[in-house]
Amino acid sequence: MARVLRVARSSSLFSFGSRSYSAEASHVSSPPPPFLGARRGFTKERNVQWVFLGCPGVGKGTYASRLSSLLGVPHIATGDLVRDALASSGPLSQQLSEIVNQGKLVSDEIIVNLLSKRLEAGEAKGESGFILDGFPRTMRQAEILGDVTDIDLVVNLKLPEEVLVDKCLGRRTCNQCGKGFNIAHINLKGENGKPGISMDPLLPPPQCMSKLITRADDTEEVVKARLRIYNETVGPLSLLSLPFSCEAMLDALNDCVQSQPLEEYYRSKGKLMEFDLPGGIPESWPRLLEALRLDDYEEKQSAAA
């Protein structure tokens, strides 16, 4: 494989232990590892190098983007990299279109090449660290990534399937400004010892209200199929029978992953943190910062601004 992921190798600044964070119980399954809160001088060497995992619709992009802004690191979503490549002109765009339309898996070589170019471009601009959203999705990708750089932490976001379905069905996009919103009002009652989950809708401003559109693939049938793909091991041929539009097929291909082995891989290395989202952003964001030992970091950043 050509030169990939040109990231400066350095020793990991943090020693993470595997733990599971429950917003309801507010406890850890093992002694808390020294997350960012324990090491304020990380920017002297390099910034954090984190990965966000989770089912489609769980909110990986939302929380990765917020942490990106807080920590001053790029938020890199491989799904966006593939979409940008598809929208561009050239041989790669044509190759990707053929792959997607034929229901084949986008190869690791292509994904890694796109990510490599993005990281090289960022390095040239002086970027340090990253938060990856959508990579790695396979064991081979995880092994490639591990060979070239040190991942500090893998955050696995979790929500019940019925909440994920409602969230995906409530997604809307303004066809003028391009911003995303969600009209779903989720109120899942707790049962069998599990806490309830409440999420208020993320409504658009008045000027966007009449311009909202729904992705053609945001139907209950397609959403459930995508969640099934995420949680099962499937081959490319089985995707062909699913009722996917081109964009939905792209999402499914990118989300197609043996999730359990990938989680176990990072758990065995002591780098996996599983986080059960307790609700929407107002409820989940402060709990996530607490789990990452960043709760006082945000306050200090705000005070210094």
Side-chain angles (χ1 to χ4, degrees):
M1 186 184 299
R3 179 170 172 263
V4 295
L5 295 175
R6 184 173 175 267
V7 181
R9 179 184 293 275
S10 61
S11 59
S12 178
L13 298 183
F14 316 110
S15 174
F16 292 103
S18 176
R19 76 172 190 171
S20 177
Y21 182 88
S22 167
E24 179 198 23
S26 295
H27 71 278
V28 295
S29 58
S30 60
F35 287 118
L36 182 59
R39 295 291 298 272
R40 296 301 180 195
F42 65 91
T43 52
K44 293 181 180 179
E45 291 186 53
R46 66 158 170 80
N47 216 315
V48 300
Q49 297 186 171
W50 291 355
V51 169
F52 268 67
L53 297 180
C55 288
V58 75
K60 298 186 295 293
T62 298
Y63 293 103
S65 178
R66 280 177 163 247
L67 285 167
S68 166
S69 298
L70 179 65
L71 300 177
V73 296
H75 165 216
I76 303 174
T78 51
D80 292 340
L81 297 181
V82 173
R83 289 185 182 87
D84 290 344
L86 269 171
S88 65
S89 59
L92 181 57
S93 175
Q94 182 178 354
Q95 182 183 1
L96 282 172
S97 295
E98 292 174 357
I99 290 172
V100 170
N101 291 330
Q102 293 174 17
K104 296 180 180 180
L105 294 173
V106 179
S107 69
D108 289 338
E109 285 74 15
I110 292 177
I111 296 294
V112 170
N113 183 49
L114 290 173
L115 181 58
S116 173
K117 290 180 178 179
R118 170 62 185 85
L119 291 177
E120 287 180 358
E123 186 181 12
K125 295 188 297 184
E127 290 179 350
S128 172
F130 51 76
I131 297 179
L132 296 182
D133 165 13
F135 187 93
R137 294 183 186 272
T138 67
M139 281 296 302
R140 184 164 180 265
Q141 290 176 1
E143 290 166 354
I144 292 172
L145 187 61
D147 284 341
V148 296
T149 191
D150 294 315
I151 294 300
D152 302 321
L153 176 67
V154 177
V155 181
N156 188 25
L157 299 179
K158 306 179 94 174
L159 275 174
E161 181 174 330
E162 54 194 297
V163 174
L164 290 169
V165 171
D166 287 345
K167 280 191 66 182
C168 288
L169 295 181
R171 291 191 297 195
R172 299 291 186 273
T173 303
C174 176
N175 63 5
Q176 182 172 338
C177 71
K179 291 183 179 179
F181 306 97
N182 202 299
I183 65 172
H185 189 113
I186 297 170
N187 189 11
L188 179 66
K189 294 183 179 180
E191 57 181 18
N192 299 325
K194 295 183 179 180
I197 295 178
S198 178
M199 294 186 182
D200 292 329
L202 180 61
L203 298 177
Q207 64 269 24
C208 295
M209 187 66 73
S210 62
K211 304 178 182 67
L212 297 184
I213 57 174
T214 305
R215 275 175 37 167
D217 53 292
D218 274 345
T219 67
E220 186 169 357
E221 183 180 19
V222 171
V223 169
K224 287 184 176 180
R226 289 174 60 201
L227 292 174
R228 187 174 72 249
I229 289 173
Y230 182 84
N231 290 298
E232 294 177 358
T233 302
V234 299
L237 291 179
S238 63
L239 292 173
L240 295 176
S241 62
L242 297 176
F244 285 177
S245 65
C246 180
E247 186 172 2
M249 179 71 81
L250 175 60
D251 282 344
L253 291 171
N254 287 330
D255 282 328
C256 181
V257 61
Q258 299 180 39
S259 59
Q260 292 301 319
L262 195 59
E263 291 168 13
E264 288 300 326
Y265 173 78
Y266 283 115
R267 184 179 288 110
S268 68
K269 293 180 175 295
K271 296 183 178 182
L272 184 72
M273 186 188 84
E274 296 186 295
F275 183 82
D276 293 304
L277 293 164
I281 295 174
E283 299 83 12
S284 298
W285 177 242
R287 295 296 185 94
L288 181 58
L289 290 180
E290 180 184 351
L292 294 170
R293 300 294 188 264
L294 286 171
D295 40 335
D296 64 330
Y297 184 79
E298 184 179 44
E299 294 176 3
K300 290 181 179 180
Q301 290 289 85
S302 299

